[in-house]
Amino acid sequence: MRIVKEHDERRNEIITTAEEFFLTKGFNKTTVNDILKRIGIAKGTFYHYFVSKEEVLDAVIGQIIDQEIMRAKEIQELDGTALEKLISFLSQNTSESTHKEEIVDKFQLPENALMKQRALEGTINQVCPVLAEIIEEGKQQQEFRTAYPLESIQFLVAGLQTMFDSIESLSPETIQKRVIAAADLFFKALAINPEIHPYEETVAKLQKIFLS
């Protein structure tokens, strides 16, 4: 058991160190030697755990996605309506949110384009299915009427990330228009039942989240 523990600890140390370099220096500019020097290990030790820098990147993104999956599942088990659960997930009001915000901010840098792409792919393919389960639960309670829970949330997540990229460079008017459009699209894409969740009230909640 001790050998397994040491193996996992060293692997996690490489992943954590690589994440720090990838986010601050950029994936392309980070070298394996950067990671080796920071940890103080030989090149052979590194390649015992990973065959390439790209594989380390996959492990870094994998950890981020695993945390998001866990958070989505925890929210899924909470009391409340399905819409409240989706809003809770989107609001990111967790103890890990600060760290995640830092990562998301770093993803906007040109040198981290590959990391950003891999993270979005992971979110669409692994996190969205959990959110789709929440939507399915909402359908059973007549909250949503969409015939395509998974595909709808995948398009929404991808669209939201794209529309709000580099938001600091947008004018206040453009941001406001995109927020209004995003909230309206969210309501319509999931075919939210206005008898249970009134349009104006729901859209106002979503706009508040998208602006935060």
Side-chain angles (χ1 to χ4, degrees), residues 70-197:
M70 183 181 302
R71 191 166 71 87
K73 289 183 175 180
E74 289 175 350
I75 291 174
Q76 185 178 17
E77 296 301 317
L78 297 176
D79 294 331
T81 67
L83 180 60
E84 289 172 342
K85 294 176 183 180
L86 289 179
I87 288 177
S88 179
F89 180 83
L90 292 173
S91 65
Q92 301 179 11
N93 55 350
T94 66
S95 57
E96 295 85 11
S97 61
T98 300
H99 178 61
K100 183 184 176 183
E101 287 175 3
E102 292 175 355
I103 292 177
V104 171
D105 287 342
K106 294 292 185 181
F107 278 172
Q108 308 311 316
L109 299 176
E111 56 266 31
N112 289 327
L114 180 59
M115 289 187 71
K116 178 182 175 181
Q117 177 186 341
R118 295 280 181 87
L120 179 57
E121 291 172 354
T123 299
I124 289 174
N125 296 324
Q126 299 178 58
V127 181
C128 283
V130 181
L131 301 180
E133 290 177 5
I134 296 176
I135 296 171
E136 286 284 6
E137 294 170 6
K139 286 186 65 176
Q140 294 175 13
Q141 301 301 320
Q142 307 301 315
E143 292 183 59
F144 309 122
R145 295 169 176 168
T146 177
Y148 309 100
L150 177 58
E151 293 77 10
S152 295
I153 195 63
Q154 286 176 325
F155 275 112
L156 287 170
V157 167
L160 286 172
Q161 177 167 317
T162 302
M163 290 297 287
F164 291 108
D165 273 356
S166 305
I167 193 171
E168 65 279 355
S169 65
L170 302 176
S171 68
E173 182 181 3
T174 298
I175 293 174
Q176 184 64 28
K177 286 181 178 180
R178 291 191 179 186
V179 166
I180 293 173
D184 180 72
L185 180 60
F186 194 97
F187 192 96
K188 293 175 179 176
L190 297 183
I192 296 176
N193 186 348
E195 295 182 1
I196 297 178
H197 301 296

Side-chain angles (χ1 to χ4, degrees), residues 14-31 34-35 38 53 57 60-61 64 99 101-113 115-116:
I14 293 173
I15 293 173
T16 300
T17 303
E19 178 183 335
E20 180 182 345
F21 271 112
F22 292 162
L23 292 176
T24 57
K25 193 174 181 179
F27 174 76
N28 292 332
K29 294 181 180 179
T30 297
T31 66
D34 289 331
I35 301 171
R38 174 67 61 84
K53 187 177 69 170
L57 174 62
V60 169
I61 297 301
I64 295 172
H99 178 61
E101 287 175 3
E102 292 175 355
I103 292 177
V104 171
D105 287 342
K106 294 292 185 181
F107 278 172
Q108 308 311 316
L109 299 176
E111 56 266 31
N112 289 327
M115 289 187 71
K116 178 182 175 181

